[in-house]
């Protein structure tokens, strides 16, 4: 059974940091691309970042460049999102996502992904 389990969300003061984790099971982790998306109340789900299966290709949304880092540990079947210099506008539910049958590319569209984690809330206070 394919499953993605997220952890690491919480509340933090502006300027602080959080690290989100997403552990995958049910598919060879090295063969899939991973992504992070977020959705704030009343807004559409938006792309945050994506890493290719080899980590050779990575992309970030302009809003998080220089502050967020995506990285993966294939031996642990886990992808991480390190979030630094957090702003109140980063407040959202964050979702990890999993794309099967991937080339060594990043993917930025929600429709590119096959499976999604349950979401984890990140709240940044001013």
């Amino acid at each position: 059974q394919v499953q993605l389990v997220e952890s690491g969300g919480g509340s933090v003061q502006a300027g602080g940091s959080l690290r989100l984790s997403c552990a995958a099971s049910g598919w060879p982790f090295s063969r899939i691309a991973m992504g992070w998306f977020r959705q704030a109340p009343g807004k559409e789900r938006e792309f945050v970042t994506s890493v290719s299966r080899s980590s050779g290709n990575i992309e970030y949304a302009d809003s998080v460049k220089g502050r967020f880092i995506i990285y993966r540990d294939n031996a642990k079947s886990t992808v991480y999102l390190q979030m630094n210099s957090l702003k109140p506008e980063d407040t959202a539910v964050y979702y990890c996502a999993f794309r099967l049958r991937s080339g060594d590319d990043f993917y930025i569209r929600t429709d590119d992904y096959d499976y999604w984690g349950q979401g984890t809330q990140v709240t940044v206070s001013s």
Side-chain angles (χ1 to χ4, degrees), residues 3 20 24 37 44 48 65 83 87-88 99 107 109 119 122:
Q3 187 175 17
L20 307 184
F37 292 75
E44 295 184 348
V48 176
K65 285 181 179 177
M83 304 184 292
K87 304 175 181 179
R99 178 183 166 90
Y107 299 89
R109 299 176 65 250
V122 172

Side-chain angles (χ1 to χ4, degrees), residues 2-126:
V2 175
Q3 187 175 17
L4 299 175
V5 179
E6 300 180 38
S7 62
S11 298
V12 65
Q13 188 175 352
S17 298
L18 288 172
R19 188 181 74 165
L20 307 184
S21 300
C22 179
S25 61
W27 194 266
F29 191 74
S30 63
R31 294 182 178 271
I32 62 176
M34 301 294 297
W36 288 95
F37 292 75
R38 66 188 182 186
Q39 188 167 22
K43 296 184 178 180
E44 295 184 348
R45 189 168 300 185
E46 66 174 348
F47 169 75
V48 176
T49 183
S50 175
V51 59
S52 69
R53 56 183 172 87
S54 75
S55 297
N57 291 288
I58 298 173
E59 183 70 354
Y60 297 94
D62 288 343
S63 60
V64 305
K65 285 181 179 177
R67 298 189 298 121
F68 290 11
I69 301 170
I70 186 172
Y71 60 101
R72 63 192 293 165
D73 186 339
N74 286 358
K76 296 181 178 179
S77 297
T78 300
V79 64
Y80 302 91
L81 181 64
Q82 178 67 48
M83 304 184 292
N84 300 316
S85 301
L86 282 162
K87 304 175 181 179
E89 62 213 66
D90 296 318
T91 296
V93 177
Y94 283 71
Y95 298 89
C96 66
F98 170 141
R99 178 183 166 90
L100 303 175
R101 305 182 188 279
S102 302
D104 197 15
D105 300 305
F106 55 79
Y107 299 89
I108 65 172
R109 299 176 65 250
T110 58
D111 289 349
D112 289 326
Y113 290 88
D114 299 294
Y115 296 96
W116 295 82
Q118 81 280 9
T120 185
Q121 177 70 46
V122 172
T123 301
V124 184
S125 60
S126 60

